[in-house]
Amino acid sequence: MDNHAIADRLDAFASLLELADANPYTTRAYRRAAATIRGAAVPVAALVRSGDVRRLRGIGPGIEARLRELVETGQIAELAELERELTPSLVGLGRFLGISARRSVEIARALGVRTGDELRAAAAEGRLRDVPGIGPKREAEIRAALARDPEPRPRRGLLLTRARELLGGIAAALGGEVAGDARRWRESCEDLAVVCPSLERFAELPQIVTVIEHSARRAVGVTVDGVPVTAVAAGPERFGTELLRATGARAYVAALEPLPDAPDEGAVYAALGLPFCPPELREAPFRGAPPPLVEVADIRGDLHCHTTWSDGRASVEEMGRAARDLGYEYVAICDHTPAVGAVQGLTPDDVRRQGEEIAAANEVLAPFRILRGIECDILPDGRLDLPDDVLAELDWVQASVHGGQRMPRGPMTARVEAALRNPHVSCLSHPTGRLINRRPENAVDLERVYEVALEEGVAVEVNGLPDRLDLGGAHVREALRAGLRIVCSTDSHSVRGLGNMELSVRTARRGWATAADVLNTRPPDALGR
Ligand SMILES: [Zn+2]
Ligand SMILES: [Zn+2]
């Protein structure tokens, strides 16, 4: 057995362990060992036989035992067993039903089935009650979920970026279009749908491990992570109608029904006598024409990004060059200050040295402009993490709550208010502090924050990090109604991160923002303070 064959078996083992919800450290150890073996200059089988294999990096006693078994018998018994029992369709269906992979295998073993299809058939025959540990109530739950009653939903929403990647791949393979929550750019997607000319190839897509419903016009498939995806088939004469319907939201569509048949959405709206409505605004029914929403092309600069001076991965000049290549006129470098804790932050001395580096980069990149900015922590007492004379030198000051987010509402609001009163602050970063599906919004009185921000001429951020999108759409709308300006930013920590501007802009659009509402659609000298 040569090194490549051994490495391939270890990789296969790692994949199956992953599928079986094994400890991620174990899985990673097998992958690392496979990489080491693939790159080894000596035959690893010989090292195993002579008992010297642990001299290779990353091979401990556990992996050595597996290698010995593989070299001596030609297989790893547990791997062979996992391959027999752990089909992706079984795992995906189990996860969709809220059952761990290990438990799915136990159930499948008890029923003598191997795949998701066979498990579904067994459930339909009422055989689940024969499985030890499944009572009548659990059986009823599983059968209801399999009958898609209520509508299938992932166990928790998918991050928008993940949903768009998944559905974009499926839609492209079927020659269709992304619909559902992802098309409305919702921050967390539960209704995952595509509309396509035909369902023919849906079940064979690599993303879909099992199909739980299949009719002429609609199929529901499940990914290996247990996420249900609906595919709707529509011929060219009514593609627009089905796309509008599958895009939702439900209440918005219900108010337009009955929908006329039309090949594209523009024609559906025209037949209804209505102006076209961008998907971002289709959360709830409304009267009147939608405003001209801000576009990515309106953005002239990115006002929040990090470099290697704090926790970013690119230099000042690299970020500047990348922003210029995106067609921007300016970028503000906003690295962290020391109070952020987890990463290094800039001291007053650092800020001045960084200023020199920015001046040098500006000589190279002119007329493009790198602005001197900072992401300054708001300390628990509301003071800022840098002295006023340092802040006064800067072109752009983001003020941010990082530590101490669990403060009660009163003190938290006072903390943010005090920071906004500092005359050097330009913009409040990620105002609610939420992390999508992971951390709720801070207890902060946003209405009061908007009031003070308006008095002080401070803008509020629409942070484009995929798990922040903060402010979110509904809050953007409130902020605009309060008379504030918003800033669409990426908070990028790499050159690639600058590409998240679309997420920020789409989120602003969900809050009905026009170009005039967004400060960084202006040239650099008109950003004000
Ligand atoms: Zn931050
Ligand atoms: Zn940041």
Side-chain angles (χ1 to χ4, degrees), residues 304-306 311 334 336 375 400 402 429-430 461 463 465 491-493:
H304 184 170
C305 69
H306 296 262
D311 55 349
C334 296
H336 286 290
E375 179 173 15
S400 304
H402 288 128
S429 318
H430 39 73
E461 181 179 67
N463 188 295
L465 287 175
D491 198 353
S492 45
H493 289 69

Side-chain angles (χ1 to χ4, degrees), residues 166-167 169-171 173-174 192-196 198-215 217-223 227-233:
L166 171 67
L167 298 175
I170 293 174
L174 300 177
L192 301 156
V194 298
V195 178
C196 47
S198 135
L199 299 176
E200 233 168 86
R201 297 190 336 272
F202 182 60
E204 284 115 60
L205 294 177
Q207 295 95 333
I208 299 298
V209 297
T210 186
V211 172
I212 58 175
E213 181 197 302
H214 206 301
S215 64
R217 284 197 171 172
R218 200 177 131 97
V220 179
V222 174
T223 71
V227 172
V229 176
T230 301
V232 177

Side-chain angles (χ1 to χ4, degrees), residues 355-436:
E356 288 163 24
E357 189 174 322
I358 288 174
N362 272 330
E363 303 250 312
V364 181
L365 298 179
F368 180 86
R369 273 175 62 188
I370 303 178
L371 304 180
R372 287 182 67 195
I374 195 81
E375 179 173 15
C376 190
D377 259 54
I378 303 175
L379 303 176
D381 63 6
R383 283 179 308 126
L384 292 174
D385 197 21
L386 285 174
D388 277 358
D389 64 317
V390 178
L391 296 178
E393 287 179 23
L394 300 175
D395 303 308
W396 186 256
V397 175
Q398 293 276 148
S400 304
V401 169
H402 288 128
Q405 303 203 19
R406 289 181 194 279
M407 261 183 182
R409 190 174 170 91
M412 179 62 97
T413 305
R415 174 184 181 183
V416 174
E417 183 175 339
L420 297 180
R421 295 287 183 204
N422 181 300
H424 306 297
V425 170
S426 329
C427 180
L428 178 64
S429 318
H430 39 73
T432 77
R434 65 123 174 232
L435 293 178
I436 297 164

Side-chain angles (χ1 to χ4, degrees), residues 185 278 280-281 290-301 462 476 480 486-489 501-522:
W185 297 82
E280 294 95 325
L281 298 186
L293 299 179
V294 59
E295 313 260 353
V296 175
D298 296 325
I299 302 293
R300 296 206 196 191
V462 180
V476 167
L480 295 179
I486 58 172
V487 174
C488 286
S489 292
M501 184 58 83
E502 179 166 26
L503 286 176
S504 175
V505 169
R506 295 287 183 172
T507 303
R509 288 164 62 91
R510 284 175 58 80
W512 295 61
T514 66
D517 297 320
V518 182
L519 202 54
N520 51 322
T521 59
R522 300 183 187 174

